[in-house]
Amino acid sequence: MSVRSTLDRILDTDRTDRTDRAEHVERPADPRPARDRTREADGMAVASFLLGLVGLLAMNLLLGPASMVLAALALRRGTSRPGRARLGFALGIADLVVLACLVGADHTWSWGVG
């Protein structure tokens, strides 16, 4: 047997041992306490509502989708304010509807008050 084949066999054995050990290691899902995750989701719900509300008046092309994404994340993470997250999602949709109506009315992406 050559030295090279012996080294290859040793290295292959070492790799399989490491992969076997790595498969049996249990990792926690999220190291933060549940209270912190809920507070973070609550903040997302409130931010979604506020972005959707402001998006009705200005920058609805950006704030509408941002509001919808934050609302979906808040609901997925288990917010204690699901009503506010749903309202933020609805306001995000309303932002896009307002934008579509304004674009249809004057055939441009820009609009102003007055």
Side-chain angles (χ1 to χ4, degrees):
M1 242 173 30
S2 71
V3 174
R4 183 157 185 90
S5 64
T6 306
L7 284 175
D8 286 340
R9 194 167 22 119
I10 291 171
L11 290 176
D12 286 340
T13 306
D14 187 40
R15 279 189 208 121
T16 57
D17 288 345
R18 273 189 269 150
T19 56
D20 289 342
R21 282 181 278 170
E23 291 174 2
H24 298 293
V25 174
E26 293 183 22
R27 292 179 181 86
D30 196 350
R32 296 176 295 162
R35 190 174 124 223
D36 288 345
R37 289 191 306 264
T38 303
R39 286 184 65 196
E40 184 178 279
D42 290 348
M44 286 182 185
V46 171
S48 169
F49 171 73
L50 292 175
L51 288 176
L53 199 58
V54 172
L56 288 173
L57 301 174
M59 296 192 310
N60 38 15
L61 181 63
L62 298 174
L63 296 180
S67 174
M68 293 176 5
V69 167
L70 281 174
L73 285 173
L75 289 171
R76 178 169 276 220
R77 293 185 181 186
T79 181
S80 63
R81 301 173 185 220
R84 189 157 298 165
R86 287 187 194 108
L87 186 58
F89 192 83
L91 284 171
I93 292 172
D95 292 348
L96 297 179
V97 169
V98 166
L99 178 66
C101 291
L102 291 172
V103 167
D106 62 358
H107 304 292
T108 181
W109 286 94
S110 63
W111 62 278
V113 177

